[in-house]
Amino acid sequence: MSAIQPADTSREMTGAEIVVQALIDQGVDTIFGYPGGAVLPIYDALFAEGRIKHILVRHEQAAVHAAEGYARSSGKVGVVLVTSGPGATNAVTGITDAMMDSIPLVVITGQVPTHLIGTDAFQECDTVGITRHCSKHNYLIKETARLASALHEAFYIARSGRPGPVVIDIPKDVQIMRGPYAAPTAAGHKTYKPQTKGDQTAIETAVEMLAAAERPILYTGGGVINSGPHATTLLRALAALTGAPVTSTLMGLGTMEHRHKQFLGMLGMHGSYEANMAMNRCDLMLCIGARFDDRVTGRLDAFSPHSKKIHIDIDRSSINKTVRVDLGIVGDVGSVLEDMLALWKARGHAAQDLEPWWADIAGWRARDCFGFKQQGPALLPQKAIQRLWEKTRDQAPIISTEVGQHQMWAAQHFGFDAPNKWLTSGGLGTMGYGLPAAIGAQLANPGALVIDIAGEASIQMNIQELGTATQYRLPVKIFIINNEYMGMVRQWQELNHGGRYSESYSDSLPDFVKLAEAYGWKGITINGPDDLDAGIDAMLAHDGPVVVDCRVTKLANCFPMIPSGAAHTDMMLEGEAPPTSEPDEDAKALV
Amino acid sequence: MKHAPSEKHTLSIIVDNESGVLARIVGLFSARGYNIDSLTVADVSTDHAVSRITIVTSGPPPVIDQIIAQLDRLVPVHRVLDLTELGPHVEREMALVKVAGTGDKRVEALRLADIFRARPVDTSTNSFVFEVSGSTEKVDQFIALMREVGLVEVARTGVVAIARGAEAA
Ligand SMILES: Cc1ncc(C[n+]2csc(CCOP(=O)(O)OP(=O)(O)O)c2C)c(N)n1
Ligand SMILES: [Mg+2]
C-alpha cells in the first residue's frame, strides 16, 4: 500500500474525512451503523464529530431497517455505515427491503484494501456483486479522488425518480489515502435524470376519461407518499373535485384520512370487501403511484375486467408490467396530479353524478367486512388493535409493524390520517423490520409516540435492538399481538394444507416482561379483555420504552381474504364457511 | 400477456463504460427471465467513456417493452434503442470458420467461400480459417455448408447493428 500522502491543499482530506464531510454537506445528522476492521478509518473520523449522531445498532440488518424507518417517517435519505464481509452481508436483507419498498438510503460499506480485492482476504466479500440486483445502484470506489463525487451522486440517485438504496463500497486504503473534496453541485448525475413532468397530451386524455367515467376509482399507493406531503394534499383535492371513491395499497395508507367518506380502505388480499368489489366493477381505474402487485390484483385474468385503466408512475417499468393499461403517464405523482387538477378546473369539469355508483358501494360496505364478534373469554387481536388506536389516535402515533396477521390487522383496524406515519415492510415482507424501523422513526421524530405492532415470532428476529433503544433513551413501545403461533403461516396451513400446522407453533417463548426488564425496558402483560385498557394506559403513561405482551386468542384468522388463485369477487369474509376441500395445485403454488 | 407470439428484437444500449455495467445488464436478463440470443459490447467513444451493447432478444411485444423499460431505468444506461422498432438499420455479424480437408473438399470449400465473399485468413496444407461477415442468416448458411466440407470449429461475434442514415439514432 502506498504511503499516506501529506495534504498539499486545504481541500485535500483523507477518504474517511471526505465521507464525513460529504454526509455533513448532504444535511445528514444521524447515521446507523456498526464498526469493524474495514471501516475503522471512517469511525475514527466520526470520533468526537459533533455534527453527526451515530446510532450503534446490535446487528447490521437492523441498521438498515432503522435507516428505513428514519427515511420513511421524515422524507429524508437514511444513511447506514457497516464493515466489509459479514457487515455487508448482514445488511443485504435491509437493502433488499428498501429496494422493494422504494426507500431512499445510502449504505456505506467498508471493503478490504484494493490490493487484496479478489484474494479471498479476511472479511472480503463481493459486496457490489451481491448487492447489484438488490440496490438501485452501487459503487466500488477504487480511488479517493472519486469518493466525494460518488457520495454526492449516491444521495441524488437514492432520492430521485423512484427512490431506492444506493450502496457505496469503500476499500480501507481509499479511506486512508488523501484526495480532493468538492461540495455537492446541482448537477446530480451526468446522465441519470428521471422524468418528473408527465406528458401533457396524456394528462389531457386522463382528465377527459376521468370526467366521463360513471364508476371511477382512485387506486393509490406508496408513490403518493414518496412524492412528498404535497402529493397527499393534491390527491385529496382530486378526490374532492371528482367525488370518486379512493382505495389505497398497504404502502399508501395515510394519504386519505381513513374515516373520509370517499375512502374505501385498503385493497388486496386482506383489504376491504368494498375496495376490492369497487376495483372489480369500476369503469375507470386511475392508478396513482401503485404497481399492481400480486397481493393487490389477485387472479390477473379476473382483475377489473371492464375498466379502462390509467397509470401514473415515476417508474416506466411499472407501467404495463403485469396489467396492461389504456394510458400510462410517466412522471412524479405530485407533478402529474397538479397538472390534472389545473386542467380539470380550467375545463370547468364538474363531478359526474356518481349516485348509482355510490349506491353499489354502500351495498358492499354494508357487509361490514372488518367486523368481528367477541366469542369466548380470550382477547381478540382485532379488538386489541382497535383499542390501541382509539387510545392513541389523538397523538397521531407513528406505527411500525412486523410481518404476519398482526400487520394486516393493524392495516385494517388502526386508522391513519396522514402520510409518513405507517411503516411496514410491504414488498419484501421482512419479519424483524418493525423494531429497528420504530427506533429509526423515533430518532427522526423525537417527540412522537412510536409503536411497533409486533407478532411474538417476528419480534424475536431483531429483539437484540432492545439494547439500542435503551442506549439512546428512545421511548419506543412494542405491542406484541401474542397468539403463540406464526399466525399467518398457521392460517395458510389451515386453509391450504388441511390444518397440518407444520413448524408454525411459537414454542419456548421467552418471558417478554423479564426480557424487557433485562434490557432496562418496562414490561407489561395483557392477559385478556379485562386487562386491555389498563395495559394500554400503563404503556402510554411510562415515558421510557415499553414491551407489552398482549396475549390474544390463538387461532383467529385474518379476514377478509382473497384466497390464493382467486378473484376479487371471491373474497372470504369472517364467519363464512372456509373451503371444505384443499385448493388445487395451481392455487397452492401461489404464495 | 406472455401468450402473444414471440418476436426477435435488436436493442442497442448506450452505457457508461464502467466496471460492472455488463454484469448489471446480463443479471437483469437472467433475474427477470428474459432471453439473450446474442450480445456484443465494446467501447465506442474517443474518451472511452461510453460503450455500445447490442443485444438480440426475443419475446412477445409486451415483454420486449418491459425489457426496454427495465434497461432504461438502470443508472449507467444512457439510452436504449429498439432498432427493430425504429426501422431501417444494418445488422452484421462476423465469424471465423475453420475447415480441414484435402483434395476435392478443399477446392469446394474455397469455391463456396468465394460465393459468400468469405476470406481465408489462415491457411495450412490441409485447413483454412475463413472470415465471413453479413447477416446472421448468411453466416448460418455459410457454416451449414462448411459442415459438408469439413467444419472443425467456429467463433462468432454476435450481432452488431446500427441505424441507417446520416443521424445518430
Ligand atoms: C424473515 C422472514 N421469514 C419468514 C417469513 C414468512 N412468514 C410470514 S408471516 C410469518 C409468521 C409471523 O408470525 P408472528 O410474528 O407471530 O405474526 P402473526 O402472524 O402471528 O401475527 C412468517 C414465518 C417472513 N415473512 N419473513
Ligand atoms: Mg404470532
Side-chain angles (χ1 to χ4, degrees), chain B residues 66-80:
Chain B
Q66 185 57 207
I67 292 173
I68 294 168
Q70 291 288 351
L71 287 168
D72 209 34
R73 71 181 187 144
L74 298 178
V75 172
V77 169
H78 298 207
R79 50 183 201 285
V80 185

Side-chain angles (χ1 to χ4, degrees), chain A residues 61 93 381 402-409 425 428-432 454-461 480-491 503-504 506 509 552 554:
Chain A
Q61 182 193 353
T93 300
E402 308 291 334
V403 172
Q405 289 179 319
H406 63 277
Q407 175 189 31
M408 293 298 119
W409 282 317
S425 171
L428 196 63
T430 312
M431 292 168 69
E456 83 295 333
S458 297
I459 192 64
Q460 294 182 77
M461 283 215 181
I480 304 174
I481 300 292
N482 184 350
N483 52 10
E484 286 182 28
Y485 274 101
M486 298 171 196
M488 191 57 92
V489 172
R490 191 206 54 74
Q491 174 168 348
E503 304 295 329
S504 53
S506 288
L509 283 173
V552 297
K554 293 177 191 176

Side-chain angles (χ1 to χ4, degrees), chain A residues 3-63:
Chain A
I4 300 171
Q5 283 135 33
D8 45 4
T9 75
S10 59
R11 290 159 44 80
E12 291 250 316
M13 315 177 185
T14 67
E17 288 163 353
I18 288 174
V19 170
V20 173
Q21 190 59 49
L23 294 180
I24 290 166
D25 287 350
Q26 289 291 341
V28 175
D29 53 20
T30 308
I31 68 175
F32 302 87
Y34 207 95
V39 279
L40 285 180
I42 299 175
Y43 273 87
D44 202 26
L46 281 171
F47 187 69
E49 169 53 70
R51 290 167 293 179
I52 293 180
K53 179 168 185 174
H54 177 277
I55 303 301
L56 179 67
V57 293
R58 285 3 183 206
H59 186 295
E60 290 89 348
Q61 182 193 353

Side-chain angles (χ1 to χ4, degrees), chain A residues 173-191:
Chain A
D173 55 331
V174 174
Q175 300 168 33
I176 291 170
M177 236 96 83
R178 289 183 167 270
Y181 178 77
T185 63
H189 188 273
K190 57 187 187 312
T191 53

